[in-house]
Amino acid sequence: MRQKVWYFDILRCLAAVAVVVIHVLGPYRDQLGIIPNSEWITATTFNSFSRWAVPIFIMITGALMLSDRREFDAKYYVKRRLGKVLLPFVVWSIFYAGLSGFTLAGFDGTVALDTLVALPVHETYYHLGFFYYFIPLYFIIPLFQIFVRKYEQSTVIGMTCLWLTLTTLFLFKIDGPWSQELVLYSGYLLMGYCLFQYRWPPLKWLFPLGIAALLLTDYMVVSKSLVLDEYTVGRWMSYKTLNTVIIAAMIFAVCQRYGENLGNFWQSKFTFISKYSLGVYLLHPIFLWPVRAFDLYFAHPIIMIPFWTIICGGLALVSSWWLAKSPKTAWLVP
């Protein structure tokens, strides 16, 4: 039996909340010049400070699956690992294709059908884009498992450093074969493994670098957008750039360092939410749809973003828990 790693529960909870935050604030992004600058900057800062969420999910996957020393069983891997994610993704994609056809004017079947037909190459709803770069990683994981077993720590860290170099090139728009999504996202698997197994990079490096990366990301996006008078991010908000990598690694390392010191009360709460974190990810847009459709942002973003995050995230959590109670529906929220 694998020993329970408490801080993974904390990371999953924080990442799930941050994802909901990103989607709650979505409508604010293109309102520069429409709403007061102070409100737009507030929403953009929430966005800048939340971009680490998706990488955290990939890093946890890398930490756990690359650390698995069991002999590789292709049948088990496809059914219990890949299939556990792939089947719910397909079902929820079909559901959200239908939801995409609903507007305040009614239901447009043509939009829903066109969205569904594009499923093989494009997400049917905004939050499902994650799976288009996450699922292919399952074909990389067995190769990385062989790599980390065969080579010493220094080699694994060296490969991770090479990947960090590629994310730096991508940030500054120096493109090449390394700009492929599979290359840039797969490195998060190694980063998660290095942090989990080697505690590398150490927190004493990551904390100051992570704080600097957070502030720099926000500054670059806000300042450039204000100068151009339109929402402009360059690649600073990308999940595939060095600044986001450093921030995500810092969050991981902080939870790793301090998460195990939580008392039983908080551990039980984080464990419960963590169990349904993927369900929260999958379900929260259902409850966010009327908020965005009816523009229910009736106060300053510093109030609205936490408010709707709690409401939509909480409803998604309860719904995920309810679906998980029955074997007939539990597979929908793995």
Side-chain angles (χ1 to χ4, degrees), residues 53-291:
V54 167
I56 285 291
F57 284 119
I58 302 175
M59 291 165 68
I60 294 172
T61 300
L64 289 173
M65 298 191 71
L66 300 191
S67 299
D68 191 342
R69 301 305 185 193
R70 291 174 294 182
E71 184 177 351
F72 181 75
D73 183 334
K75 182 177 180 181
Y76 173 86
Y77 186 79
V78 171
K79 181 179 179 180
R80 296 298 299 275
R81 300 298 187 192
L82 177 59
K84 186 179 179 181
V85 176
L86 182 59
L87 185 57
F89 160 70
V90 172
V91 173
W92 284 112
S93 291
I94 296 172
F95 169 83
Y96 280 108
L99 184 61
S100 70
F102 283 96
T103 66
L104 296 182
F107 180 73
D108 189 333
T110 302
V111 171
L113 181 59
D114 290 345
T115 302
L116 181 61
V117 170
L119 168 61
V121 295
H122 193 277
E123 66 270 21
T124 60
Y125 221 63
Y126 54 83
H127 69 307
L128 296 175
F130 165 72
F131 292 93
Y132 285 81
Y133 46 80
F134 182 67
I135 290 174
L137 296 179
Y138 279 89
F139 298 95
I140 299 296
I141 287 170
L143 301 177
F144 277 1
Q145 286 177 331
I146 296 172
F147 173 72
V148 300
R149 291 174 190 173
K150 183 176 181 180
Y151 292 99
E152 297 180 352
Q153 175 179 334
S154 59
T155 304
V156 176
I157 291 177
M159 180 64 75
T160 307
C161 288
L162 174 60
W163 170 70
L164 290 172
T165 302
L166 301 183
T167 64
T168 305
L169 295 175
F170 186 75
L171 172 62
F172 293 106
K173 300 182 180 180
I174 304 173
D175 292 322
W178 54 83
S179 302
Q180 297 297 317
E181 283 195 346
L182 189 59
V183 173
L184 294 174
Y185 281 116
S186 64
Y188 278 114
L189 298 169
L190 288 177
M191 177 59 78
Y193 178 81
C194 286
L195 284 164
F196 180 49
Q197 291 291 343
Y198 312 142
R199 292 186 178 252
W200 181 93
L203 181 57
K204 66 179 181 180
W205 297 355
L206 286 174
F207 189 77
L209 290 173
I211 297 298
L214 275 172
L215 297 175
L216 181 61
T217 298
D218 193 45
Y219 172 78
M220 294 298 293
V221 173
V222 169
S223 62
K224 190 169 185 179
S225 296
L226 290 175
V227 168
L228 298 176
D229 198 29
E230 64 177 349
Y231 180 59
T232 306
V233 301
R235 290 182 176 175
W236 289 94
M237 291 285 197
S238 171
Y239 299 135
K240 301 173 288 186
T241 50
L242 181 65
N243 58 312
T244 305
V245 173
I246 292 173
I247 297 166
M250 177 193 69
I251 299 294
F252 191 108
V254 168
C255 290
Q256 183 181 46
R257 171 64 178 82
Y258 298 104
E260 301 293 339
N261 297 328
L262 290 178
N264 292 333
F265 173 82
W266 287 109
Q267 285 183 350
S268 64
K269 303 304 179 187
F270 279 118
T271 297
F272 176 80
I273 299 173
S274 172
K275 183 177 180 180
Y276 304 108
S277 58
L278 184 55
V280 171
Y281 188 102
L282 289 166
L283 295 174
H284 75 272
I286 297 173
F287 306 102
L288 185 55
W289 182 88
V291 177

